[in-house]
């Protein structure tokens, strides 16, 4: 099929490359000329394992092209995918202006019957509005079906998730549109679930919000473990054997970040409230996550009440490993607090150094390696479980730090090994005081 993709952000770009990989002819559109110029040469604007290689393969096979000319790309496409961003408004609602703008442009440009596929995460009912906008902007007598097709890929594993997804959800009331969507995804070999358009829109929010809730729940239990002397890893292992609970997404830490969970929890909560309904579970997940972000600072203050002039190593800056994304990364607000209190930050991340320096307005805090960040430090805070960081040996902390105080927000290390090495080590929900001792 001939496919146009509007927006080459995370979702749009990975989707475009995925369709090309499965043999479709793809034209991806974006307003950003620099991005388009780079992509045309096979350079990805985002760090995502496997993406650049797959992109270059599709360029070499002439199955993908990039352009800023949306009108021409949409004119004769069989399907147009909308993958533009839906950022958060100040009040927590989703900002849909970019989507509506693209919908208008699509309506004005199409010259033959086609599908408009909405991949962006949008509040329930938005597909209806998109359809109205497209219909009202039409300049030719063509038939357009708007289909909701939410995206479930996660950053860091986006290519794998696209090629081996758990399900493809199609939201449409049109039999013909459903058939075309099945044809489009035929080569993917993934389970396809066809539902109503509103249900499809809600599947996406409900999935993300449930996962966010799972994380906030486990973080609360972890905090309770710290108080009661139980170990969260033992507790979640025991829970995970129950197939109704499952053993994934139960890692305790300093809370969820990124461009999805924080935004999507607030957007659904806002949407429900707008209809006079309060989603109490989501409200709790949001509040718990906001507090959890600062849990390492509370632990740090207990050890070092005055942070002025103290050297604090910060390891891992991105919201999770294998991405360069710093959106809603807990490291950023924590480093702002450290800066405000006069601490000397020595930060390291395998990928996101330059971006972090820009956000915090200080390049001097960036160090070139784990060792440089630890050098002479009074304490070390760990925010992201990059492999390189988790591979740091207890000896390295001991050899480089002025005082080996390590506060681990991602439970990267064996607590016994750290304690045995003489490190003052605290993590999330894994207190040392009550280590299991067989009698
Ligand atoms: C998330 C969903 O996992 C995807 O299915 C969805 O498509 C995507 O949002 C989206 O809406 O576009 P993503 O935000 O890339 O993907 O990352 P996740 O792997 O879900 O992690 C989100 C946050 O939760 C990270 O900060 C991570 O550290 C944290 N997390 C995850 C935990 O604290 N504990 C866990 O057990 C798992």
């Amino acid at each position: 099929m001939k496919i146009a993709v509007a927006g080459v952000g995370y979702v749009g770009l990975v989707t475009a490359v995925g369709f090309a990989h499965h043999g479709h002819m793809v034209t991806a559109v974006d307003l950003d000329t620099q991005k388009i110029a780079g992509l045309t040469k096979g350079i990805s604007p985002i760090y995502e394992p496997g993406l650049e290689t797959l992109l270059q393969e599709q360029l070499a096979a002439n199955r993908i092209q990039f352009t800023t000319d949306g009108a021409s790309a949409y004119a004769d496409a069989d399907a147009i995918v909308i993958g533009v961003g839906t950022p958060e408004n100040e009040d927590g609602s989703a900002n849909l202006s970019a989507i509506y703008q693209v919908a208008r442009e699509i309506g004005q440009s199409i010259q033959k019957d086609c599908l408009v596929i909405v991949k962006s995460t949008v509040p329930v009912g938005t597909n209806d509005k998109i359809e109205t906008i497209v219909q009202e902007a039409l300049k030719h007598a063509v038939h357009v079906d708007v289909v909701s097709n939410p995206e479930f890929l996660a950053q860091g594993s986006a290519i794998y998730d696209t090629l081996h997804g758990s399900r493809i959800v199609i939201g449409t009331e049109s039999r013909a549109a459903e058939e075309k969507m099945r044809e489009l995804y035929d080569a993917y070999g993934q389970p396809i679930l066809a539902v109503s358009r509103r249900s499809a829109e809600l599947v996406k929010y409900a999935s993300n919000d449930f996962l966010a809730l799972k994380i906030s729940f486990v973080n609360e239990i972890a905090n309770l473990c710290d108080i009661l002397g139980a170990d969260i890893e033992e507790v979640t292992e025991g829970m995970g054997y129950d197939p109704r609970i499952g053993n994934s997404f139960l890692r305790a830490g300093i809370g969820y970040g990124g461009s999805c969970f924080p935004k999507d929890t607030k957007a659904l909560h806002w949407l429900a409230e707008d209809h006079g309904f309060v989603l109490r579970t989501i409200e709790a997940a949001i509040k718990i996550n906001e507090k959890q972000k600062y849990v390492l600072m509370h632990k740090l203050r207990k050890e070092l009440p005055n942070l002025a002039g103290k050297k604090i190593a910060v390891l891992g800056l991105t919201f999770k490993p294998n991405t360069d994304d710093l959106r809603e990364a807990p490291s950023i607000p924590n480093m702002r607090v450290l800066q405000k209190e006069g601490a000397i930050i020595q930060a390291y991340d395998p990928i996101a150094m330059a971006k972090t320096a820009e956000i915090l307005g200080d390049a001097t805090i960036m160090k070139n390696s784990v060792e440089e960040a630890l050098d002479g430090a009074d304490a070390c805070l760990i925010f992201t479980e990059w492999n390189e960081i988790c591979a740091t040996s207890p000896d390295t902390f001991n050899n480089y730090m002025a005082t080996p105080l390590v506060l681990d927000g991602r439970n990267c290390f064996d607590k016994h090994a750290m304690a045995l090495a003489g490190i003052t080590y605290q993590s999330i929900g894994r207190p040392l005081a009550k280590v299991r001792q067989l009698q």
Side-chain angles (χ1 to χ4, degrees):
M1 274 192 198
K2 218 170 172 184
I3 300 169
V5 177
V8 290
Y10 231 99
V11 169
L13 180 55
V14 175
T15 302
V17 172
F19 279 137
H21 172 76
H22 282 300
H24 297 295
M25 299 304 293
V26 180
T27 304
V29 182
D30 204 284
L31 298 173
D32 189 329
T33 46
Q34 245 184 318
K35 255 194 203 177
I36 292 297
L39 283 163
T40 303
K41 289 187 213 135
I43 302 164
S44 167
I46 48 172
Y47 173 82
E48 181 64 39
L51 175 58
E52 217 163 60
T53 311
L54 203 60
L55 163 68
Q56 287 163 7
E57 281 170 18
Q58 304 320 310
L59 282 167
N62 282 325
R63 281 194 295 260
I64 196 165
Q65 54 179 336
F66 296 93
T67 179
T68 51
D69 180 5
S72 305
Y74 307 145
D76 67 341
D78 300 308
I80 303 166
V81 180
I82 301 183
V84 296
T86 51
E88 189 183 317
N89 283 321
E90 287 223 339
D91 60 3
S93 62
N95 184 331
L96 302 170
S97 53
I99 287 221
Y100 292 154
Q101 176 56 32
V102 166
R104 249 182 307 277
E105 203 186 336
I106 289 172
Q108 287 160 359
S109 313
I110 47 181
Q111 295 177 16
K112 66 178 204 191
D113 294 356
C114 75
L115 286 182
V116 170
I117 302 170
V118 181
K119 274 224 169 264
S120 309
T121 301
V122 291
V124 179
T126 306
N127 275 263
D128 298 353
K129 286 188 203 146
I130 292 173
E131 187 160 82
T132 307
I133 293 171
V134 173
Q135 299 286 1
E136 284 176 359
L138 285 178
K139 292 200 169 146
H140 294 85
V142 294
H143 181 79
V144 184
D145 275 314
V146 174
V147 181
S148 167
N149 177 213
E151 181 51 63
F152 301 104
L153 61 85
Q155 289 178 226
S157 57
I159 296 298
Y160 181 88
D161 294 346
T162 301
L163 302 183
H164 309 275
S166 51
R167 77 290 206 194
I168 290 162
V169 174
I170 295 170
T172 178
E173 269 73 25
S174 151
R175 197 184 297 276
E178 182 186 326
E179 270 167 24
K180 265 201 199 163
M181 290 295 284
R182 286 186 185 276
E183 194 190 319
L184 178 68
Y185 280 112
D186 189 42
Y188 280 62
Q190 294 168 21
I192 294 180
L193 172 71
V195 297
S196 78
R197 214 158 54 180
R198 288 190 172 222
S199 296
E201 290 172 320
L202 194 52
V203 167
K204 170 67 188 196
Y205 277 107
S207 300
N208 270 6
D209 289 16
F210 184 76
L211 292 171
L213 190 59
K214 208 170 174 187
I215 297 169
S216 277
F217 176 80
V218 102
N219 284 337
E220 263 209 315
I221 299 295
N223 296 341
L224 188 63
C225 284
D226 273 334
I227 297 166
L228 302 179
D231 185 309
I232 190 64
E233 283 178 351
E234 294 178 352
V235 173
T236 50
E237 192 184 352
M239 290 165 66
Y241 274 98
D242 185 331
R244 293 169 302 174
I245 297 173
N247 59 11
S248 59
F249 255 73
L250 286 176
R251 276 178 289 115
I254 32 143
Y256 56 79
S259 64
C260 305
F261 290 172
K263 170 172 75 76
D264 293 348
T265 42
K266 284 185 225 155
L268 191 63
H269 184 260
W270 187 93
L271 182 73
E273 216 171 36
D274 199 40
H275 287 77
F277 183 62
V278 181
L279 280 170
R280 303 227 179 268
T281 48
I282 304 306
E283 193 171 72
I286 296 168
K287 280 190 187 150
I288 291 161
N289 198 59
E290 198 46 46
K291 252 186 119 179
Q292 193 70 11
K293 249 195 272 191
Y294 297 105
V295 86
L296 288 190
M297 286 306 295
H298 294 300
K299 290 179 192 267
L300 179 63
R301 273 185 232 282
K302 279 195 189 145
E303 300 292 328
L304 297 175
N306 181 7
L307 293 173
K310 292 281 188 288
K311 280 190 184 173
I312 310 294
V314 175
L315 298 184
L317 304 170
T318 52
F319 84 96
K320 68 173 192 176
N322 300 321
T323 172
D324 59 353
D325 202 332
L326 288 160
R327 282 176 289 179
E328 299 281 341
S331 66
I332 302 294
N334 278 284
M335 285 195 288
R336 288 215 164 100
V337 174
L338 289 172
Q339 275 180 325
K340 212 168 146 204
E341 300 199 9
I344 301 161
I345 301 174
Q346 305 185 155
Y348 174 72
D349 184 276
I351 294 282
M353 305 284 277
K355 270 192 180 179
T356 312
E358 213 177 292
I359 292 171
L360 293 179
D362 185 356
T364 64
I365 62 176
M366 297 303 154
K367 303 298 162 196
N368 291 315
S369 62
V370 168
E371 288 78 7
E372 268 189 35
L374 293 177
D375 198 22
D378 298 293
C380 169
L381 306 183
I382 297 169
F383 288 109
T384 321
E385 67 277 32
W386 285 96
N387 281 342
E388 184 187 342
I389 290 166
C390 298
T392 308
S393 72
D395 281 351
T396 306
F397 289 107
N398 268 327
N399 293 343
Y400 284 89
M401 295 180 73
T403 41
L405 167 62
V406 177
L407 306 178
D408 177 0
R410 295 293 182 186
N411 293 350
C412 298
F413 298 100
D414 179 331
K415 64 182 180 184
H416 304 298
M418 293 294 264
L420 275 174
I423 294 166
T424 307
Y425 177 71
Q426 295 181 33
S427 49
I428 310 292
R430 302 186 310 163
L432 268 171
K434 301 259 172 63
V435 172
R436 177 174 176 241
Q437 281 175 350
L438 294 175
Q439 309 289 326

